[in-house]
Amino acid sequence: MRILINGLILFFILILTYLTSVFSKELIEEFPVPPPPFSEGIYPCSNCHASMDLNPKKRVLKDEHTNIQLHHAETLRWCLDCHYSKNRDKLRLYNGELIDFGRSYLLCGECHGNVFRDWKAGIHGKRQGYFIGGKRTYLLCVHCHDAHSPKFKGIKPEPPPLPPKVKRDVR
Amino acid sequence: MTKEEKEALIARLEERYLKKYKKKFRVGIEEAIQNTLWGYGLDLSRCIGCRRCVYACVEENNCSREKPQSQWIRVIRLKKGSLINLEDSEHYYNPELVPEKEFLYIPVQCQQCENPPCVRVCPVHATWKEPDGLVVVDYNWCIGCRYCIAACPYRGRIFNWGEPNVPPEHWNTSVHYLGNRPRMRNVVDKCTFCIQRVRMGRYPACVEVCPTGSRKFGNLLDPNSEIRYVIQNKRTFRLKEDLNTEPKFYYFFEA
């Protein structure tokens, strides 16, 4: 009987350690990325913000960041839904967790779950580097999308090929 | 060829390139990696037709820049809603900005067919399919008859009307014997999925440069590869499936 109970206890301990290891793997899942694409001199944000009083009001900014236009479900939110009001060097997830800018994909992924799933697999967005025998990095969402106005912007195409006659003219 | 013969051949080539182009080339002869079959995916709902891939390919693969101009990727523009037609589609489009609302863009390059019609018609066996599925050309054997060009339903092969015209500072000196080494006049070449890169575990140049991330690549035999994810999770199709060429190039749209 005693052996049976001991065995059962051992069994549960094993299951528990297995589950926690799986669970913590989920939590520490990391995605190597290049540095976030900040404008020069803007980071750390706390250089200015640490000594500023907080103004939580939704408003048109006049003194700073005037180039930032929110076109991203802007009727529903304000800067401080993403930027942590008390420490501007961090982003804030819906559950209150603070994250570094190098993990901004977690923020985007909260509302864009399907895209985020594809991104993790390297399908939405892209990965660069070595897929065998070397380092491979993910581009952050914000390398391609402006977090404030995320619609992909049009670009100038490279020149078309030359017409056949000109193309072949060797001399 | 024995190992010694191959090494001697490579040494001769490297010496010739040094004399001719004044550059120290590294001519690789890396063989196919075991248990790999390379496959490609292209997301047509994201491609914006910007041609960054075309020029990254030219640069990486030492294609002639002009006189003659040689490009391995051709981007076709198509009215949304019309059927894909490789024969008389527009590829000279040149608007101020892409994408344009009413158009779809379809980059086309060698589709690395499992059943390549180009290989079958070569009278001198200068072209074949490698164990990792790449269709390659030995430029030293090619006699320039161009049967393969006629046989390819995708316009994936290109004839070199002259010596490659590459600005000296732009030579990519990291080359593979069966890929981007300098070609001679009157031989046929084509996309090899960047054989010189992928056999070293790197993405093809077009995949890395694409600003929209539309281009996906990987090992079809590896269930964790990007290409397998695409095939499992997206609606894929291949060009001219009815010809039974079995391309390893999968186009897809977001579901």
Side-chain angles (χ1 to χ4, degrees):
Chain A
M1 189 64 189
R2 186 169 231 136
I3 293 179
L4 198 72
I5 290 176
N6 278 346
L8 264 178
I9 291 175
L10 199 70
F11 177 69
F12 280 118
I13 289 178
L14 278 177
I15 286 200
L16 250 163
T17 37
Y18 172 71
L19 282 180
T20 45
S21 78
V22 168
F23 196 61
S24 56
K25 228 182 249 150
E26 183 83 10
L27 286 179
I28 57 165
E29 199 177 18
E30 285 294 341
F31 304 97
V33 298
F38 285 123
S39 318
E40 234 184 271
I42 196 117
Y43 194 86
C45 321
S46 50
N47 276 353
C48 298
H49 280 275
S51 57
M52 281 169 53
D53 289 332
L54 177 65
N55 177 356
K57 235 178 71 200
K58 191 165 176 172
R59 63 196 191 277
V60 176
L61 299 183
K62 296 214 180 63
D63 301 334
E64 198 61 57
H65 314 317
T66 49
N67 58 334
I68 291 178
Q69 303 286 331
L70 264 195
H71 292 298
H72 191 181
E74 66 274 17
T75 49
L76 304 173
R77 68 182 144 187
W78 178 235
C79 321
L80 302 178
D81 293 334
C82 299
H83 295 285
Y84 182 45
S85 56
K86 299 196 188 89
N87 177 0
R88 234 30 92 84
D89 296 341
K90 301 275 181 188
L91 294 166
R92 188 179 158 281
L93 300 183
Y94 186 71
N95 68 6
E97 193 193 330
L98 302 183
I99 57 167
D100 289 326
F101 282 91
R103 296 167 79 208
S104 57
Y105 48 82
L106 293 176
L107 175 65
C108 315
E110 290 195 309
C111 299
H112 301 291
N114 289 345
V115 171
F116 186 42
R117 176 152 32 80
D118 278 0
W119 180 85
K120 287 195 268 189
I123 303 304
H124 189 98
K126 75 175 167 185
R127 298 191 282 198
Q128 298 174 318
Y130 287 80
F131 53 80
I132 315 173
K135 195 172 140 103
R136 173 162 72 177
T137 55
Y138 287 75
L139 286 192
L140 289 167
C141 316
V142 293
H143 281 116
C144 296
H145 299 289
D146 179 342
H148 310 118
S149 175
K151 191 167 172 43
F152 205 81
K153 310 292 182 297
I155 55 177
K156 172 123 192 67
E158 295 285 349
L162 302 169
K165 170 71 186 69
V166 187
K167 188 161 155 180
R168 281 174 205 174
D169 197 356
V170 178
R171 266 161 294 271
Chain B
M1 264 204 277
T2 66
K3 192 162 165 281
E4 288 73 31
E5 284 170 330
K6 272 189 191 163
E7 279 167 5
L9 172 65
I10 294 311
R12 271 205 308 282
L13 277 179
E14 288 180 348
E15 200 181 301
R16 186 187 310 159
Y17 298 154
L18 184 63
K19 274 223 189 77
K20 188 160 179 182
Y21 303 112
K22 311 275 179 288
K23 300 264 165 182
K24 176 94 195 79
F25 279 73
R26 179 208 177 264
V27 182
I29 48 171
E30 286 76 17
E31 295 189 355
I33 303 168
Q34 293 239 312
N35 298 317
T36 44
L37 195 61
W38 299 120
Y40 206 108
L42 208 154
D43 186 347
L44 294 180
S45 45
R46 299 211 193 286
C47 175
I48 57 173
C50 69
R51 297 200 187 94
R52 300 292 188 274
C53 51
V54 175
Y55 289 86
C57 169
V58 162
E59 190 78 29
E60 167 71 27
N61 289 297
N62 293 320
C63 295
S64 187
R65 304 304 202 270
E66 50 166 18
K67 298 183 176 186
Q69 184 184 60
S70 168
Q71 300 179 345
W72 289 353
I73 304 177
R74 190 164 65 100
V75 187
I76 288 168
R77 185 179 77 170
L78 206 68
K79 261 243 150 42
K80 276 184 184 159
S82 51
L83 285 175
I84 294 180
N85 175 346
L86 300 186
E87 274 62 38
D88 42 42
S89 297
E90 155 81 308
H91 56 265
Y92 297 114
Y93 66 87
N94 195 20
E96 223 12 75
L97 294 177
V98 287
E100 304 152 281
K101 245 213 198 86
E102 65 275 32
F103 292 109
L104 201 68
Y105 306 88
I106 310 178
V108 186
Q109 60 212 73
C110 172
Q111 309 278 301
Q112 316 293 348
C113 303
E114 260 311 274
N115 201 0
C118 52
V119 165
R120 225 173 307 133
V121 299
C122 180
V124 294
H125 304 292
T127 182
W128 64 87
K129 194 180 72 190
E130 287 272 289
D132 54 4
L134 302 179
V135 175
V136 295
V137 181
D138 186 335
Y139 314 116
N140 282 24
W141 284 101
C142 177
I143 56 172
C145 71
R146 289 178 266 163
Y147 287 4
C148 56
I149 294 185
C152 174
Y154 308 103
R155 283 216 234 162
R157 285 175 171 258
I158 289 92
F159 187 65
N160 285 267
W161 294 89
E163 294 255 324
N165 197 344
V166 176
E169 68 281 13
H170 282 265
W171 279 108
N172 175 7
T173 55
S174 173
V175 300
H176 192 282
Y177 182 84
L178 296 173
N180 58 340
R181 70 179 165 111
R183 272 80 76 194
M184 313 70 131
R185 180 190 163 93
N186 291 350
V187 298
V188 170
D189 60 18
K190 60 186 276 303
C191 156
T192 64
F193 286 172
C194 285
I195 191 169
Q196 69 282 4
R197 294 170 64 107
V198 300
R199 285 193 179 170
M200 309 274 222
R202 293 179 71 196
Y203 288 104
C206 50
V207 171
E208 279 220 344
V209 79
C210 178
T212 63
S214 305
R215 290 170 166 272
K216 300 298 152 199
F217 184 77
N219 182 2
L220 289 163
L221 306 180
D222 171 5
N224 296 318
S225 67
E226 289 175 12
I227 187 64
R228 283 285 289 274
Y229 185 96
V230 165
I231 292 171
Q232 266 151 35
N233 296 292
K234 309 287 172 187
R235 284 182 305 136
T236 59
F237 69 94
R238 292 171 293 169
L239 295 179
K240 304 195 182 187
E241 261 165 5
D242 49 316
L243 297 182
N244 207 26
T245 49
E246 298 288 334
K248 291 190 290 297
F249 204 107
Y250 295 81
Y251 293 88
F252 63 102
F253 287 98
E254 285 306 313

